[in-house]
Amino acid sequence: MESVEQIRPVIAPAPVMKSDLGTSLVLEQIVHRFGEMVALKNINLNIQPGEFVSLLGPSGCGKTTLLRIISGFLKPSSGKILLDGQAVESLSASQRGVGIVFQNYALFPHMSVWDNIAYGLRAKRLPNAKVNSKVGEMLELVQLGHLAKRYPSELSGGQQQRVAIARALAVEPKLMLLDEPFSALDKNLRLDMQIEIRRLLSEQGVTAILVTHDQEEAMSMSDRIAVMSQGEIHQFDTPSQIYDQPATLFVSTFVGTCNLLPAKLMGRDMSEYLVQVPGGGRFRVASPTPIQPDDNMLLAVRPENLRIQTQPSSHSLPSTVEMCLPLGAVTAYEVQISPDTKVKVTQPRIPGTRLLEKGQQIYLELASPHACSLFPATS
Ligand SMILES: Nc1ncnc2c1ncn2[C@@H]1O[C@H](COP(=O)(O)OP(=O)(O)O)[C@@H](O)[C@H]1O
Ligand SMILES: [Mg+2]
């Protein structure tokens, strides 16, 4: 068997959630192989009742595979799945009581919109009055009341997806699994649906796992995000922690925009490190974990965490403005810090102030020693 190299993910303490309805979910050492290919390497997750968690990562990193394993449609090569503390490996998808919305809708083609949504309720043998009121409520939620009699083939992709969401929610599952459910919707409808789904699931206390490759969607909807790459979870934490303190080089570049600067560790001053970047300037950098001295490091700094000064200070980089892009709320600058290194800097735009011009000499500072991350360049 091929060896499975593993990174050690950063997993934050679980938040305290209040939910009697949602189920907790624990994944222990889930590994999945498709033949020789290891799609999931060693997945550990602990999700609280009522929590909204996103699996965020690029296409092909294993998100759908993990969701199928949780749902019961796919049996993992090894590992444990616990729902409310109960091992469920031997239970089928329907016995697990999870609601699923797939990437590709999977509606019943021979049933109307109404019947698709009613399907799960009828299977539970609920009285007709209850079925009718629930289907009506769901149709209103997804704004499709006027199309209740149509068949899936008579709907747009976005409309079909809304039916799929309504059908899954109608049976009030304890755990809702959503695989890129908004990807076919246009921008305005997507935002409406994101807000509605989030509100509805929170109100009902349903635990939810959303698969997405869209970082904004993950950031705006989730209590916590598991950032995945190549079958591994790199970090499982709140959106703001993931943005502010990325655990790996991959997280820092996949979530948000980052400048990556070759960096040399020059010394240490209490809990701060002195780091030299191209052009010879030095920054003071705080690191939550000790850093091994290494010539070959990368400093990851977000454009909004660099400050432009007109006078030098003890830790600033003499630089030149290359380009200025006024974007409305902020101004983006491209700034040359050495003959072959440019960085992006964004500054809030204050009405009435003059924009900097190409060729102007400036000094770049870090907003704070905490406003950046250091990684080994080989990570
Ligand atoms: N049924 C399958 N057979 C073989 N390989 C698969 C199968 N399903 C997925 N894979 C592979 O597993 C990896 C993860 O796929 P997937 O979980 O669909 O990724 P994601 O949802 O993150 O885009 C990919 O390399 C994909 O090609
Ligand atoms: Mg997928």
Side-chain angles (χ1 to χ4, degrees):
M1 201 188 305
E2 86 190 82
S3 75
V4 177
E5 206 183 305
Q6 284 157 11
I7 59 155
R8 214 181 281 158
V10 171
I11 304 227
V16 179
M17 305 298 292
K18 285 174 278 171
S19 171
D20 301 329
L21 290 167
T23 180
S24 68
L25 170 69
V26 175
L27 300 177
E28 284 179 5
Q29 300 182 354
I30 299 284
V31 173
H32 193 73
R33 297 186 180 81
F34 290 109
E36 290 285 288
M37 207 272 288
V38 186
L40 296 173
K41 292 185 183 163
N42 178 28
I43 300 290
N44 294 283
L45 268 185
N46 192 337
I47 296 175
Q48 303 294 301
E51 202 174 359
F52 194 110
V53 168
S54 289
L55 306 179
L56 173 68
S59 176
C61 73
K63 305 180 297 293
T64 294
T65 302
L66 187 56
L67 210 68
R68 289 174 66 213
I69 284 172
I70 296 167
S71 72
F73 283 109
L74 184 66
K75 195 172 156 34
S77 305
S78 62
K80 269 192 172 168
I81 307 157
L82 304 167
L83 285 177
D84 272 345
Q86 301 286 316
V88 296
E89 289 91 61
S90 59
L91 298 186
S92 70
S94 60
Q95 288 167 324
R96 290 183 194 190
V98 298
I100 308 160
V101 177
F102 291 106
Q103 217 161 356
N104 53 357
Y105 326 134
L107 297 176
F108 303 117
H110 58 288
M111 287 186 195
S112 68
V113 167
W114 177 282
D115 289 332
N116 261 284
I117 299 173
Y119 180 84
L121 301 165
R122 288 183 176 140
K124 282 177 137 187
R125 301 190 184 288
L126 295 178
N128 273 345
K130 173 81 182 153
V131 173
N132 290 344
S133 71
K134 192 72 193 181
V135 174
E137 188 190 318
M138 288 297 119
L139 281 170
E140 196 174 319
L141 172 77
V142 297
Q143 300 168 28
L144 285 178
H146 59 298
L147 301 179
K149 291 194 177 128
R150 289 221 188 150
Y151 286 84
S153 61
E154 299 167 324
L155 301 175
S156 72
Q159 289 165 340
Q160 289 182 49
Q161 188 62 310
R162 283 143 76 191
V163 178
I165 289 169
R167 187 180 60 176
L169 279 175
V171 293
E172 300 178 1
K174 287 182 153 194
L175 175 62
M176 185 75 170
L177 306 176
L178 305 138
D179 193 347
E180 312 249 7
F182 310 116
S183 50
L185 309 181
D186 67 39
K187 203 176 166 196
N188 286 337
L189 185 59
R190 188 186 314 168
L191 192 59
D192 285 350
M193 289 290 288
Q194 286 169 346
I195 292 168
E196 271 306 297
I197 293 284
R198 182 71 176 96
R199 188 180 59 77
L200 200 92
L201 292 172
S202 311
E203 271 175 20
Q204 297 182 346
V206 180
T207 311
I209 304 176
L210 170 76
V211 159
T212 181
H213 64 270
D214 178 341
Q215 46 140 328
E216 277 180 24
E217 184 169 290
M219 297 284 286
S220 64
M221 292 188 72
S222 315
D223 294 311
R224 284 192 292 172
I225 302 173
V227 185
M228 291 180 68
S229 169
Q230 299 186 354
E232 292 175 288
I233 293 177
H234 279 230
Q235 189 168 8
F236 183 40
D237 213 330
T238 59
S240 55
Q241 280 294 104
I242 288 203
Y243 192 83
D244 294 341
Q245 298 199 333
T248 64
L249 192 56
F250 171 78
V251 177
S252 75
T253 51
F254 189 73
V255 180
T257 306
C258 238
N259 294 296
L260 292 180
L261 296 173
K264 246 187 201 172
L265 215 50
M266 303 304 287
R268 191 174 167 172
D269 174 15
M270 308 291 276
S271 65
E272 290 176 359
Y273 296 84
L274 203 57
V275 167
Q276 183 169 300
V277 295
R282 294 175 181 192
F283 284 140
R284 280 171 43 222
V285 171
S287 173
T289 50
I291 292 169
Q292 298 304 321
D294 186 341
D295 271 358
N296 206 7
M297 305 201 70
L298 286 171
L299 184 70
V301 196
R302 302 207 180 279
E304 69 270 26
N305 288 337
L306 287 165
R307 297 270 180 275
I308 293 176
Q309 306 292 354
T310 49
Q311 299 296 322
S313 66
S314 57
H315 294 100
S316 64
L317 313 180
S319 328
T320 316
V321 174
E322 269 300 303
M323 206 195 309
C324 163
L325 300 170
L327 301 177
V330 297
T331 305
Y333 291 102
E334 192 175 49
V335 172
Q336 194 98 41
I337 62 166
S338 81
D340 49 12
T341 312
K342 288 176 187 162
V343 293
K344 292 192 186 73
V345 183
T346 52
Q347 307 275 284
R349 195 177 61 87
I350 299 157
T353 55
R354 286 232 330 257
L355 298 175
L356 300 171
E357 282 163 21
K358 182 176 162 67
Q360 200 168 334
Q361 163 94 66
I362 53 160
Y363 301 87
L364 278 188
E365 281 179 2
L366 269 183
S368 115
H370 298 272
C372 59
S373 309
L374 260 181
F375 300 107
T378 50
S379 67

